[in-house]
Amino acid sequence: MADGSMPSASRRDVLAGAGLVISFSVAGKGEAAPAGGKLNAYVRVGADDTVTIVAKNPEIGQGIKTMLPMLIAEELDVDWSAVRTQQADNDPVAYGRQFAGGSMATPLHWDELRRVGAAARVMLVAAAAQGWGVPAGECTTASGVVHHKASGRKATYGSLAAKAATAPVPDLKTVPLKDPKDYKIIGQPKRQVDTAAIVTGKPLFGIDVTLPGMLFATFEKAPVFGAKVASADVAAAKGVRGVKDAFVVEGGESLDGLLPGVAVVATSWWAARKGRDKLAVKWADHPTGKQSSAGFDARAVELSTKAPGKTERNDGDVAAALAGAAKTVEAAYAYPFISHANLEPQNCTAHFKDGKLEIWAPTQNPEPGRQLVAKTLGIAPEAITIHLIRCGGGFGRRLSNDYMVEAAWIARQAGAPVKLLWTREDDMRHDYYRPAGWHFLKGGVNASGEIVGWHDHFVSLGENGTFARSAGMSPNEFPARFLANYRYDSSMIPCGVPTGPLRAPGSNAIAFVVQSFIDELAHAAGADPVAFRLKLLGDKPMVGEGGAGYAAGRMAAVVKLAAEKSGWGRKLPKGGGMGIAFHYSHLGYFAEVVEVAVAASGAVKLVKVWVAADIGRHVINPLGALNQIEGSVLDGLSAALHQKITIENGAAVESNFGDYPLMRIGEAPPIETHFIKSDNSPTGLGEPALPPVLPALCNAIFAATGKRIRRLPIDTELLKTA
């Protein structure tokens, strides 16, 4: 499962009615769960031939509730039209780790869930063969029916369900899998199973949860992250019609847990909101209350002139190589904090009764949420039930569960079911932001147009030699290992702003810096940016070994494909430009070309984007794959053009879409995607398409204007020519 272990098919559920439930425990390194433990039921076959398949991971819009059941259905050999999906609750004993993040659903479940489907098929075949008195090897399956060709007999899965429930459960490691040429579901475009409900407005999301007798809550926290409540007029809040209670929550100091604040509970959310307006909260001073984006910028520049805090990697002799270079380039790059800006603000519903807690949470990472709630409330994790509710966007924000522990705490005090709903302003000003960062670079090329030295002094957020969450950069980050002389130093700035993963963590900023600077060096060398990159990748198919290996050949192939499909090198109208970039992240190899037209006013029109991708030998759901790639590209473009969180006096300034705009439909360019089917295991798609588009856009702007973008978001005022 999530730890890579292979579950054994060692348990099965009891027949319920006339349906067959196929269950496989993943407890204890693939061994059976102890007697009485809850089992991992993935497949249920009804007497009416419908097949219900459980989707184990949280659905955050990435299509996992469709894709994972497709793997099972393919090997079960049923028609997709007969399949119904069901969202699992959080159950680590039955399902192992359940999470949405890192684009890991495909690599972790490609083999395992296909084997789950194959094992169910084996049991159904065994039931038919036993009933007919024939060898199971003489039977075949198709579209939910077992056939015995020699005798002409056939039986539907539904008719075999009761018998199959008594069949021996096969070992998942030994069940036969289909030849890929026989796939009927994998590789075929399938709409998300929830699409019809979404477009017709049916309740699916956390914000839609309702329970009998449910109350509504708001929770006000300090603008400065973690500041305590000095005073609050809870009596005034309680005087608002509909308000049932208002109280101070002392909270703790960890930015990942329950922070201090004031809760208001009412019969409607609007009443709770109006009660909150009466609180007149005064906040205690906090040590980070004087921090600011301007201060971080100034400190980064100061640190860049000093000896680094640490040398993370030092290959060759960079100083000598740069001293002997034909040309050198120095550049300072920076990127800001940005917010996840989920369209659905954070929310959670909780009910505490008789010492037990039930939670309905749109979370990407439920089990850490359970542990956080248990620790904070002082109850056993086993006393907590978490229902996984579809998220209205995640992008990494819902890997943190602060809203879950807030709802749990408030519900326990309220003594009734409570839905906590954040305002948009709460959501944007109390995020775990993509961290800001600063890179001070120097590179050199020789007379042959090759990079001979690269030095990056990376100033990031962190303390005592430890990067803040999602603020680091790997010592192996490209072009490390591809250059004989490469040095990466780091210095850190202490920061009271909470940070965390945002779609393609780290890569979403690092690619902008690295691929933009490569472009600078290409132009310094007088080289074509595509040819320069291919020369840098070289002729070695793989650089490094094992999990740390970088498949240079796969990357070169997508670079060539992106250039070919975009018509790289063609003449463009005045103000037009094309830029290319590539990046490897989340096991995916991506190259992207952006074409822009820049007006004299500085306005940037996105003409088109071409994407070339290598995610292995199979694209499980082509429709879902395109959705993920196009969404990632638009996310990246939106961040590059618009998004910035500014810190002043220790707090976030931006609070809503008026001062933190997202890309609108009219700005969105057409996106053309091409896949290379390489002989590698399939990988995920939620994130790796995002990083290359930012530098490709900035490189295109340079090609159009001659002006280099080194700071995000793009300031179009700098692009004006009239």
PDB file of all heavy atoms in Angstrom, residues 431-461:
ATOM      1  N   ASP A 431      -3.328  30.305   5.859  1.00  0.00           N
ATOM      2  CA  ASP A 431      -2.910  29.202   4.999  1.00  0.00           C
ATOM      3  C   ASP A 431      -1.569  28.658   5.497  1.00  0.00           C
ATOM      4  O   ASP A 431      -0.939  29.225   6.398  1.00  0.00           O
ATOM      5  CB  ASP A 431      -2.777  29.729   3.557  1.00  0.00           C
ATOM      6  CG  ASP A 431      -2.920  28.644   2.504  1.00  0.00           C
ATOM      7  OD1 ASP A 431      -2.782  27.449   2.842  1.00  0.00           O
ATOM      8  OD2 ASP A 431      -3.150  28.988   1.337  1.00  0.00           O
ATOM      9  N   TYR A 432      -1.156  27.531   4.910  1.00  0.00           N
ATOM     10  CA  TYR A 432       0.221  27.060   5.024  1.00  0.00           C
ATOM     11  C   TYR A 432       0.847  27.358   3.666  1.00  0.00           C
ATOM     12  O   TYR A 432       0.777  26.560   2.735  1.00  0.00           O
ATOM     13  CB  TYR A 432       0.267  25.566   5.350  1.00  0.00           C
ATOM     14  CG  TYR A 432      -0.279  25.257   6.729  1.00  0.00           C
ATOM     15  CD1 TYR A 432      -1.629  24.978   6.918  1.00  0.00           C
ATOM     16  CD2 TYR A 432       0.560  25.252   7.837  1.00  0.00           C
ATOM     17  CE1 TYR A 432      -2.136  24.701   8.179  1.00  0.00           C
ATOM     18  CE2 TYR A 432       0.065  24.975   9.109  1.00  0.00           C
ATOM     19  CZ  TYR A 432      -1.287  24.701   9.273  1.00  0.00           C
ATOM     20  OH  TYR A 432      -1.775  24.438  10.520  1.00  0.00           O
ATOM     21  N   TYR A 433       1.443  28.527   3.546  1.00  0.00           N
ATOM     22  CA  TYR A 433       1.786  29.091   2.253  1.00  0.00           C
ATOM     23  C   TYR A 433       2.949  28.380   1.569  1.00  0.00           C
ATOM     24  O   TYR A 433       3.855  27.859   2.235  1.00  0.00           O
ATOM     25  CB  TYR A 433       2.152  30.567   2.425  1.00  0.00           C
ATOM     26  CG  TYR A 433       1.063  31.378   3.075  1.00  0.00           C
ATOM     27  CD1 TYR A 433       1.146  31.731   4.415  1.00  0.00           C
ATOM     28  CD2 TYR A 433      -0.062  31.776   2.365  1.00  0.00           C
ATOM     29  CE1 TYR A 433       0.144  32.471   5.029  1.00  0.00           C
ATOM     30  CE2 TYR A 433      -1.072  32.511   2.975  1.00  0.00           C
ATOM     31  CZ  TYR A 433      -0.965  32.850   4.308  1.00  0.00           C
ATOM     32  OH  TYR A 433      -1.965  33.566   4.904  1.00  0.00           O
ATOM     33  N   ARG A 434       2.926  28.416   0.229  1.00  0.00           N
ATOM     34  CA  ARG A 434       4.140  28.054  -0.504  1.00  0.00           C
ATOM     35  C   ARG A 434       5.213  29.048  -0.071  1.00  0.00           C
ATOM     36  O   ARG A 434       5.030  30.249  -0.140  1.00  0.00           O
ATOM     37  CB  ARG A 434       3.885  28.181  -2.010  1.00  0.00           C
ATOM     38  CG  ARG A 434       4.961  27.545  -2.920  1.00  0.00           C
ATOM     39  CD  ARG A 434       6.247  28.296  -3.095  1.00  0.00           C
ATOM     40  NE  ARG A 434       6.101  29.649  -3.602  1.00  0.00           N
ATOM     41  CZ  ARG A 434       5.985  29.969  -4.885  1.00  0.00           C
ATOM     42  NH1 ARG A 434       5.977  29.052  -5.818  1.00  0.00           N
ATOM     43  NH2 ARG A 434       5.879  31.266  -5.235  1.00  0.00           N
ATOM     44  N   PRO A 435       6.366  28.565   0.420  1.00  0.00           N
ATOM     45  CA  PRO A 435       7.343  29.487   0.971  1.00  0.00           C
ATOM     46  C   PRO A 435       7.972  30.388  -0.082  1.00  0.00           C
ATOM     47  O   PRO A 435       8.153  29.993  -1.236  1.00  0.00           O
ATOM     48  CB  PRO A 435       8.401  28.578   1.606  1.00  0.00           C
ATOM     49  CG  PRO A 435       8.045  27.200   1.244  1.00  0.00           C
ATOM     50  CD  PRO A 435       6.729  27.166   0.578  1.00  0.00           C
ATOM     51  N   ALA A 436       8.306  31.601   0.342  1.00  0.00           N
ATOM     52  CA  ALA A 436       9.103  32.490  -0.487  1.00  0.00           C
ATOM     53  C   ALA A 436      10.538  31.971  -0.532  1.00  0.00           C
ATOM     54  O   ALA A 436      10.968  31.192   0.333  1.00  0.00           O
ATOM     55  CB  ALA A 436       9.063  33.904   0.085  1.00  0.00           C
ATOM     56  N   GLY A 437      11.308  32.414  -1.546  1.00  0.00           N
ATOM     57  CA  GLY A 437      12.702  31.998  -1.653  1.00  0.00           C
ATOM     58  C   GLY A 437      13.498  32.933  -2.544  1.00  0.00           C
ATOM     59  O   GLY A 437      12.932  33.676  -3.356  1.00  0.00           O
ATOM     60  N   TRP A 438      14.817  32.878  -2.389  1.00  0.00           N
ATOM     61  CA  TRP A 438      15.722  33.762  -3.112  1.00  0.00           C
ATOM     62  C   TRP A 438      16.938  32.957  -3.568  1.00  0.00           C
ATOM     63  O   TRP A 438      17.544  32.222  -2.783  1.00  0.00           O
ATOM     64  CB  TRP A 438      16.185  34.909  -2.209  1.00  0.00           C
ATOM     65  CG  TRP A 438      15.061  35.720  -1.652  1.00  0.00           C
ATOM     66  CD1 TRP A 438      14.583  36.903  -2.114  1.00  0.00           C
ATOM     67  CD2 TRP A 438      14.261  35.398  -0.499  1.00  0.00           C
ATOM     68  NE1 TRP A 438      13.537  37.346  -1.350  1.00  0.00           N
ATOM     69  CE2 TRP A 438      13.305  36.436  -0.349  1.00  0.00           C
ATOM     70  CE3 TRP A 438      14.236  34.324   0.410  1.00  0.00           C
ATOM     71  CZ2 TRP A 438      12.360  36.439   0.666  1.00  0.00           C
ATOM     72  CZ3 TRP A 438      13.294  34.326   1.423  1.00  0.00           C
ATOM     73  CH2 TRP A 438      12.367  35.378   1.557  1.00  0.00           C
ATOM     74  N   HIS A 439      17.295  33.102  -4.849  1.00  0.00           N
ATOM     75  CA  HIS A 439      18.448  32.401  -5.418  1.00  0.00           C
ATOM     76  C   HIS A 439      19.400  33.425  -6.013  1.00  0.00           C
ATOM     77  O   HIS A 439      18.993  34.257  -6.840  1.00  0.00           O
ATOM     78  CB  HIS A 439      18.014  31.422  -6.503  1.00  0.00           C
ATOM     79  CG  HIS A 439      17.180  30.289  -6.015  1.00  0.00           C
ATOM     80  ND1 HIS A 439      17.658  28.995  -5.895  1.00  0.00           N
ATOM     81  CD2 HIS A 439      15.880  30.239  -5.614  1.00  0.00           C
ATOM     82  CE1 HIS A 439      16.684  28.207  -5.449  1.00  0.00           C
ATOM     83  NE2 HIS A 439      15.603  28.935  -5.268  1.00  0.00           N
ATOM     84  N   PHE A 440      20.655  33.337  -5.605  1.00  0.00           N
ATOM     85  CA  PHE A 440      21.688  34.233  -6.127  1.00  0.00           C
ATOM     86  C   PHE A 440      22.663  33.362  -6.929  1.00  0.00           C
ATOM     87  O   PHE A 440      23.414  32.566  -6.360  1.00  0.00           O
ATOM     88  CB  PHE A 440      22.363  34.974  -4.980  1.00  0.00           C
ATOM     89  CG  PHE A 440      21.387  35.822  -4.196  1.00  0.00           C
ATOM     90  CD1 PHE A 440      20.684  35.280  -3.122  1.00  0.00           C
ATOM     91  CD2 PHE A 440      21.138  37.135  -4.555  1.00  0.00           C
ATOM     92  CE1 PHE A 440      19.766  36.052  -2.411  1.00  0.00           C
ATOM     93  CE2 PHE A 440      20.218  37.916  -3.851  1.00  0.00           C
ATOM     94  CZ  PHE A 440      19.531  37.374  -2.783  1.00  0.00           C
ATOM     95  N   LEU A 441      22.606  33.528  -8.231  1.00  0.00           N
ATOM     96  CA  LEU A 441      23.238  32.581  -9.147  1.00  0.00           C
ATOM     97  C   LEU A 441      24.392  33.214  -9.914  1.00  0.00           C
ATOM     98  O   LEU A 441      24.359  34.407 -10.255  1.00  0.00           O
ATOM     99  CB  LEU A 441      22.213  32.063 -10.156  1.00  0.00           C
ATOM    100  CG  LEU A 441      21.084  31.201  -9.582  1.00  0.00           C
ATOM    101  CD1 LEU A 441      19.784  31.469 -10.294  1.00  0.00           C
ATOM    102  CD2 LEU A 441      21.447  29.727  -9.697  1.00  0.00           C
ATOM    103  N   LYS A 442      25.372  32.383 -10.200  1.00  0.00           N
ATOM    104  CA  LYS A 442      26.440  32.761 -11.117  1.00  0.00           C
ATOM    105  C   LYS A 442      26.789  31.540 -11.952  1.00  0.00           C
ATOM    106  O   LYS A 442      26.978  30.441 -11.417  1.00  0.00           O
ATOM    107  CB  LYS A 442      27.670  33.261 -10.366  1.00  0.00           C
ATOM    108  CG  LYS A 442      28.752  33.828 -11.295  1.00  0.00           C
ATOM    109  CD  LYS A 442      29.876  34.486 -10.514  1.00  0.00           C
ATOM    110  CE  LYS A 442      30.902  35.116 -11.461  1.00  0.00           C
ATOM    111  NZ  LYS A 442      32.000  35.800 -10.718  1.00  0.00           N
ATOM    112  N   GLY A 443      26.823  31.726 -13.257  1.00  0.00           N
ATOM    113  CA  GLY A 443      27.133  30.623 -14.160  1.00  0.00           C
ATOM    114  C   GLY A 443      28.062  31.073 -15.251  1.00  0.00           C
ATOM    115  O   GLY A 443      28.142  32.267 -15.577  1.00  0.00           O
ATOM    116  N   GLY A 444      28.787  30.122 -15.835  1.00  0.00           N
ATOM    117  CA  GLY A 444      29.717  30.442 -16.911  1.00  0.00           C
ATOM    118  C   GLY A 444      29.632  29.449 -18.047  1.00  0.00           C
ATOM    119  O   GLY A 444      29.310  28.277 -17.843  1.00  0.00           O
ATOM    120  N   VAL A 445      29.887  29.930 -19.260  1.00  0.00           N
ATOM    121  CA  VAL A 445      29.934  29.076 -20.444  1.00  0.00           C
ATOM    122  C   VAL A 445      31.286  29.251 -21.116  1.00  0.00           C
ATOM    123  O   VAL A 445      31.933  30.310 -21.002  1.00  0.00           O
ATOM    124  CB  VAL A 445      28.801  29.410 -21.442  1.00  0.00           C
ATOM    125  CG1 VAL A 445      27.438  29.097 -20.846  1.00  0.00           C
ATOM    126  CG2 VAL A 445      28.850  30.874 -21.872  1.00  0.00           C
ATOM    127  N   ASN A 446      31.715  28.207 -21.826  1.00  0.00           N
ATOM    128  CA  ASN A 446      32.985  28.298 -22.546  1.00  0.00           C
ATOM    129  C   ASN A 446      32.749  28.696 -24.000  1.00  0.00           C
ATOM    130  O   ASN A 446      31.598  28.926 -24.420  1.00  0.00           O
ATOM    131  CB  ASN A 446      33.768  26.986 -22.434  1.00  0.00           C
ATOM    132  CG  ASN A 446      33.012  25.797 -23.033  1.00  0.00           C
ATOM    133  OD1 ASN A 446      32.079  25.962 -23.829  1.00  0.00           O
ATOM    134  ND2 ASN A 446      33.423  24.590 -22.651  1.00  0.00           N
ATOM    135  N   ALA A 447      33.814  28.755 -24.759  1.00  0.00           N
ATOM    136  CA  ALA A 447      33.709  29.191 -26.156  1.00  0.00           C
ATOM    137  C   ALA A 447      32.920  28.212 -27.004  1.00  0.00           C
ATOM    138  O   ALA A 447      32.414  28.581 -28.077  1.00  0.00           O
ATOM    139  CB  ALA A 447      35.110  29.386 -26.737  1.00  0.00           C
ATOM    140  N   SER A 448      32.776  26.973 -26.542  1.00  0.00           N
ATOM    141  CA  SER A 448      31.999  25.967 -27.282  1.00  0.00           C
ATOM    142  C   SER A 448      30.523  25.984 -26.909  1.00  0.00           C
ATOM    143  O   SER A 448      29.753  25.151 -27.388  1.00  0.00           O
ATOM    144  CB  SER A 448      32.578  24.569 -27.021  1.00  0.00           C
ATOM    145  OG  SER A 448      33.926  24.499 -27.437  1.00  0.00           O
ATOM    146  N   GLY A 449      30.139  26.905 -26.046  1.00  0.00           N
ATOM    147  CA  GLY A 449      28.728  27.003 -25.670  1.00  0.00           C
ATOM    148  C   GLY A 449      28.290  25.976 -24.658  1.00  0.00           C
ATOM    149  O   GLY A 449      27.114  25.591 -24.622  1.00  0.00           O
ATOM    150  N   GLU A 450      29.196  25.553 -23.784  1.00  0.00           N
ATOM    151  CA  GLU A 450      28.863  24.581 -22.749  1.00  0.00           C
ATOM    152  C   GLU A 450      28.960  25.244 -21.376  1.00  0.00           C
ATOM    153  O   GLU A 450      29.824  26.101 -21.153  1.00  0.00           O
ATOM    154  CB  GLU A 450      29.827  23.392 -22.802  1.00  0.00           C
ATOM    155  CG  GLU A 450      29.806  22.640 -24.117  1.00  0.00           C
ATOM    156  CD  GLU A 450      30.971  21.676 -24.246  1.00  0.00           C
ATOM    157  OE1 GLU A 450      32.082  22.013 -23.793  1.00  0.00           O
ATOM    158  OE2 GLU A 450      30.762  20.594 -24.814  1.00  0.00           O
ATOM    159  N   ILE A 451      28.086  24.832 -20.461  1.00  0.00           N
ATOM    160  CA  ILE A 451      28.162  25.348 -19.094  1.00  0.00           C
ATOM    161  C   ILE A 451      29.386  24.735 -18.412  1.00  0.00           C
ATOM    162  O   ILE A 451      29.525  23.508 -18.350  1.00  0.00           O
ATOM    163  CB  ILE A 451      26.891  25.019 -18.298  1.00  0.00           C
ATOM    164  CG1 ILE A 451      25.647  25.615 -18.964  1.00  0.00           C
ATOM    165  CG2 ILE A 451      27.013  25.552 -16.868  1.00  0.00           C
ATOM    166  CD1 ILE A 451      24.338  25.259 -18.277  1.00  0.00           C
ATOM    167  N   VAL A 452      30.268  25.603 -17.907  1.00  0.00           N
ATOM    168  CA  VAL A 452      31.472  25.095 -17.250  1.00  0.00           C
ATOM    169  C   VAL A 452      31.415  25.262 -15.730  1.00  0.00           C
ATOM    170  O   VAL A 452      32.193  24.638 -15.003  1.00  0.00           O
ATOM    171  CB  VAL A 452      32.733  25.806 -17.800  1.00  0.00           C
ATOM    172  CG1 VAL A 452      32.942  25.445 -19.265  1.00  0.00           C
ATOM    173  CG2 VAL A 452      32.637  27.315 -17.625  1.00  0.00           C
ATOM    174  N   GLY A 453      30.496  26.084 -15.232  1.00  0.00           N
ATOM    175  CA  GLY A 453      30.381  26.263 -13.790  1.00  0.00           C
ATOM    176  C   GLY A 453      29.029  26.838 -13.411  1.00  0.00           C
ATOM    177  O   GLY A 453      28.423  27.598 -14.171  1.00  0.00           O
ATOM    178  N   TRP A 454      28.550  26.443 -12.230  1.00  0.00           N
ATOM    179  CA  TRP A 454      27.227  26.877 -11.749  1.00  0.00           C
ATOM    180  C   TRP A 454      27.298  27.023 -10.231  1.00  0.00           C
ATOM    181  O   TRP A 454      27.694  26.089  -9.521  1.00  0.00           O
ATOM    182  CB  TRP A 454      26.190  25.836 -12.133  1.00  0.00           C
ATOM    183  CG  TRP A 454      24.767  26.085 -11.715  1.00  0.00           C
ATOM    184  CD1 TRP A 454      24.272  26.141 -10.442  1.00  0.00           C
ATOM    185  CD2 TRP A 454      23.649  26.279 -12.582  1.00  0.00           C
ATOM    186  NE1 TRP A 454      22.925  26.349 -10.465  1.00  0.00           N
ATOM    187  CE2 TRP A 454      22.500  26.439 -11.773  1.00  0.00           C
ATOM    188  CE3 TRP A 454      23.486  26.319 -13.963  1.00  0.00           C
ATOM    189  CZ2 TRP A 454      21.224  26.642 -12.283  1.00  0.00           C
ATOM    190  CZ3 TRP A 454      22.214  26.519 -14.493  1.00  0.00           C
ATOM    191  CH2 TRP A 454      21.090  26.682 -13.660  1.00  0.00           C
ATOM    192  N   HIS A 455      26.928  28.186  -9.735  1.00  0.00           N
ATOM    193  CA  HIS A 455      26.899  28.417  -8.295  1.00  0.00           C
ATOM    194  C   HIS A 455      25.554  29.023  -7.923  1.00  0.00           C
ATOM    195  O   HIS A 455      25.148  30.043  -8.483  1.00  0.00           O
ATOM    196  CB  HIS A 455      28.025  29.366  -7.866  1.00  0.00           C
ATOM    197  CG  HIS A 455      28.054  29.609  -6.387  1.00  0.00           C
ATOM    198  ND1 HIS A 455      28.564  30.748  -5.814  1.00  0.00           N
ATOM    199  CD2 HIS A 455      27.630  28.838  -5.336  1.00  0.00           C
ATOM    200  CE1 HIS A 455      28.461  30.682  -4.495  1.00  0.00           C
ATOM    201  NE2 HIS A 455      27.897  29.533  -4.178  1.00  0.00           N
ATOM    202  N   ASP A 456      24.869  28.400  -6.991  1.00  0.00           N
ATOM    203  CA  ASP A 456      23.589  28.897  -6.486  1.00  0.00           C
ATOM    204  C   ASP A 456      23.710  29.070  -4.980  1.00  0.00           C
ATOM    205  O   ASP A 456      23.929  28.100  -4.248  1.00  0.00           O
ATOM    206  CB  ASP A 456      22.471  27.908  -6.821  1.00  0.00           C
ATOM    207  CG  ASP A 456      21.084  28.407  -6.386  1.00  0.00           C
ATOM    208  OD1 ASP A 456      20.991  29.511  -5.814  1.00  0.00           O
ATOM    209  OD2 ASP A 456      20.102  27.685  -6.626  1.00  0.00           O
ATOM    210  N   HIS A 457      23.605  30.318  -4.537  1.00  0.00           N
ATOM    211  CA  HIS A 457      23.475  30.583  -3.100  1.00  0.00           C
ATOM    212  C   HIS A 457      21.983  30.767  -2.851  1.00  0.00           C
ATOM    213  O   HIS A 457      21.413  31.808  -3.165  1.00  0.00           O
ATOM    214  CB  HIS A 457      24.254  31.838  -2.707  1.00  0.00           C
ATOM    215  CG  HIS A 457      24.280  32.069  -1.225  1.00  0.00           C
ATOM    216  ND1 HIS A 457      25.055  33.045  -0.625  1.00  0.00           N
ATOM    217  CD2 HIS A 457      23.631  31.467  -0.179  1.00  0.00           C
ATOM    218  CE1 HIS A 457      24.877  33.027   0.681  1.00  0.00           C
ATOM    219  NE2 HIS A 457      24.001  32.080   0.974  1.00  0.00           N
ATOM    220  N   PHE A 458      21.375  29.754  -2.296  1.00  0.00           N
ATOM    221  CA  PHE A 458      19.930  29.714  -2.074  1.00  0.00           C
ATOM    222  C   PHE A 458      19.641  30.220  -0.669  1.00  0.00           C
ATOM    223  O   PHE A 458      20.066  29.616   0.320  1.00  0.00           O
ATOM    224  CB  PHE A 458      19.438  28.282  -2.261  1.00  0.00           C
ATOM    225  CG  PHE A 458      17.969  28.055  -2.006  1.00  0.00           C
ATOM    226  CD1 PHE A 458      17.024  29.030  -2.255  1.00  0.00           C
ATOM    227  CD2 PHE A 458      17.526  26.821  -1.531  1.00  0.00           C
ATOM    228  CE1 PHE A 458      15.675  28.809  -2.030  1.00  0.00           C
ATOM    229  CE2 PHE A 458      16.176  26.576  -1.313  1.00  0.00           C
ATOM    230  CZ  PHE A 458      15.250  27.578  -1.553  1.00  0.00           C
ATOM    231  N   VAL A 459      18.930  31.326  -0.581  1.00  0.00           N
ATOM    232  CA  VAL A 459      18.491  31.852   0.707  1.00  0.00           C
ATOM    233  C   VAL A 459      17.023  31.487   0.864  1.00  0.00           C
ATOM    234  O   VAL A 459      16.172  31.879   0.059  1.00  0.00           O
ATOM    235  CB  VAL A 459      18.675  33.377   0.798  1.00  0.00           C
ATOM    236  CG1 VAL A 459      18.201  33.880   2.164  1.00  0.00           C
ATOM    237  CG2 VAL A 459      20.136  33.752   0.570  1.00  0.00           C
ATOM    238  N   SER A 460      16.737  30.729   1.900  1.00  0.00           N
ATOM    239  CA  SER A 460      15.387  30.219   2.090  1.00  0.00           C
ATOM    240  C   SER A 460      14.961  30.424   3.533  1.00  0.00           C
ATOM    241  O   SER A 460      15.697  30.981   4.358  1.00  0.00           O
ATOM    242  CB  SER A 460      15.326  28.737   1.715  1.00  0.00           C
ATOM    243  OG  SER A 460      13.996  28.261   1.719  1.00  0.00           O
ATOM    244  N   LEU A 461      13.778  29.971   3.833  1.00  0.00           N
ATOM    245  CA  LEU A 461      13.229  30.084   5.176  1.00  0.00           C
ATOM    246  C   LEU A 461      13.610  28.857   5.988  1.00  0.00           C
ATOM    247  O   LEU A 461      13.555  27.726   5.492  1.00  0.00           O
ATOM    248  CB  LEU A 461      11.711  30.229   5.118  1.00  0.00           C
ATOM    249  CG  LEU A 461      11.198  31.358   4.217  1.00  0.00           C
ATOM    250  CD1 LEU A 461       9.675  31.328   4.153  1.00  0.00           C
ATOM    251  CD2 LEU A 461      11.688  32.713   4.693  1.00  0.00           C
TER     252      LEU A 461
END
